[in-house]
Amino acid sequence: MSELNVEKIMEEIRYEIREKGYTKDMLSFSDVDIETEDTKVGIEKFERIKFNEELFNLNMLWNVNPYREIDVKPGLKGRCVAFIKKIIRKCIRFYLAPIVWEQDTFNATTVRLLNMMNLYMEENQRLSDQVVKMKDEHEILVKRINQLYELHYNEE
């Protein structure tokens, strides 16, 4: 297998940029608005159902698969492109594997943390409900004590 000449590739890219007339003031990746209803990041209020849906998605999607199947398009060109992609993937495996492992570790830690937060919120809700119930019981007891107190002093 021949060595990869990065400088030659970069020169080809620069040449293509000059040929196509691209300039620095043109649209950049940061100018592209990719936010849709499904990918909306800005959240205005907490919605428990949406939180549970997103938490479910995180629990399903945290693991990054760097070796997913490469799509082979029909024809000789499609098979050649897929073959080249497989070769490139094998060549960069030593570099890609540790990055994917670190990302998976981060994703798993984040998902575990969010699962713990979910349990905390459920426990907090349970305790809040219990406090409300105890306050109601306290009110009833205070009324009963007041009634007994009045009854006792009215008898005297």
Side-chain angles (χ1 to χ4, degrees):
M1 186 170 173
S2 63
E3 290 206 21
L4 202 58
N5 187 344
V6 176
E7 283 302 317
K8 183 179 180 208
I9 294 171
M10 288 303 295
E11 187 55 43
E12 289 173 3
I13 292 171
R14 288 184 191 105
Y15 176 76
E16 188 175 335
I17 289 171
R18 282 192 302 272
E19 283 290 309
K20 292 185 178 180
Y22 296 144
T23 61
K24 288 184 180 184
D25 63 332
M26 296 181 98
L27 190 65
S28 69
F29 287 113
S30 61
D31 295 331
V32 177
D33 183 22
I34 59 168
E35 194 171 277
T36 65
E37 280 304 310
D38 293 336
T39 61
K40 197 170 196 176
V41 177
I43 297 173
E44 297 175 18
K45 68 175 187 160
F46 179 78
E47 296 177 34
R48 183 67 181 177
I49 293 172
K50 190 67 175 165
F51 177 82
N52 287 336
E53 289 172 357
E54 295 296 340
L55 189 58
F56 177 80
N57 289 337
L58 279 175
N59 278 291
M60 294 294 118
L61 301 173
W62 67 269
N63 189 19
V64 177
N65 181 8
Y67 304 112
R68 60 180 161 251
E69 190 174 329
I70 294 175
D71 292 332
V72 180
K73 294 185 179 171
L76 179 63
K77 182 179 177 185
R79 287 193 306 269
C80 289
V81 168
F83 179 73
I84 291 170
K85 285 180 181 180
K86 288 178 183 179
I87 290 173
I88 291 171
R89 182 164 59 185
K90 284 185 181 191
C91 290
I92 64 169
R93 184 180 304 179
F94 77 95
Y95 183 72
L96 187 63
I99 294 171
V100 171
W101 180 82
E102 288 176 9
Q103 185 65 53
D104 279 350
T105 302
F106 174 81
N107 293 351
T109 303
T110 303
V111 169
R112 280 193 300 272
L113 176 65
L114 287 169
N115 285 327
M116 283 189 275
M117 286 177 61
N118 186 43
L119 293 173
Y120 175 79
M121 289 184 332
E122 288 174 356
E123 179 69 10
N124 191 33
Q125 183 62 50
R126 188 186 66 75
L127 291 173
S128 293
D129 293 344
Q130 194 174 3
V131 166
V132 168
K133 182 181 173 189
M134 292 176 92
K135 282 183 178 180
D136 292 343
E137 290 174 0
H138 177 262
E139 265 184 47
I140 292 169
L141 290 172
V142 166
K143 285 180 183 177
R144 183 70 181 135
I145 289 172
N146 286 337
Q147 287 172 349
L148 291 172
Y149 184 76
E150 288 176 9
L151 185 66
H152 177 71
Y153 280 104
N154 286 339
E155 289 179 357
E156 290 179 4

